[in-house]
Amino acid sequence: MQERSSVADLAAVLRRELDRYSPGGKLPSSRALVDRFRVSPVTVSRALAQLAAEGLVVTRPGAGAFRARPRPSAAPAGDTSWQEVALSADGAADLVPRSVDASGVLVSLAAPPPGVVEFNGGYLHPSLQPERAMAAALARAGRRPGA
């Protein structure tokens, strides 16, 4: 059993007809497409949404559907040939030493000496947090009318 989708059929027809319109050109109204293809407004809406998802059509509520302008081509990829040596596992041990000096990382991860307040964790040390002052300010603000 073969099942056909009127949405897919309409989207295919509109996809072929897009060459008639210049980039930014207005497509026929939804009502005109309903009358021409004898489909429901929901079918037209879904077909246009499918084309919009593919980047072929731009829809603007109240204004209609327009052929999308061609997207600029992506910039060429940079030179990644260095990765062949840096990331290869076979035979590269002779060319590139695999040992890493992690002493700097280990020093930064070590626990600080007593009495040192760390500022790299994102939270203040509990002794520096103004909990009482904040609690008092929130209590005063909560008692105000309209709070």
Side-chain angles (χ1 to χ4, degrees):
M1 182 168 140
Q2 179 183 5
E3 291 189 29
R4 293 182 45 197
S5 168
S6 56
V7 173
D9 292 343
L10 179 59
V13 170
L14 292 176
R15 195 177 293 113
R16 286 191 301 269
E17 290 185 1
L18 280 177
D19 293 335
R20 293 185 194 174
Y21 304 98
S22 61
K26 189 173 187 321
L27 275 65
S29 68
S30 294
R31 187 173 292 166
L33 293 173
V34 166
D35 291 341
R36 178 177 166 201
F37 293 104
R38 306 265 186 234
V39 293
S40 73
V42 173
T43 302
V44 171
S45 175
R46 288 182 180 170
L48 289 174
Q50 183 176 344
L51 294 176
E54 294 172 11
L56 301 174
V57 172
V58 175
T59 58
R60 294 187 202 115
F66 302 86
R67 179 175 176 191
R69 298 191 185 280
R71 294 180 182 167
S73 61
D79 179 23
T80 58
S81 61
W82 63 270
Q83 293 177 355
E84 292 178 17
V85 174
L87 301 177
S88 64
D90 54 340
D94 302 334
L95 303 173
V96 180
R98 290 290 182 180
S99 62
V100 176
D101 180 22
S103 60
V105 174
L106 295 175
V107 168
S108 67
L109 294 176
V116 173
V117 177
E118 290 187 86
F119 291 112
N120 63 354
Y123 294 101
L124 289 174
H125 189 271
S127 65
L128 297 175
Q129 293 179 5
E131 292 177 4
R132 286 186 182 172
M134 287 296 293
L138 288 172
R140 282 192 308 273
R143 286 192 300 264
R144 289 187 179 166

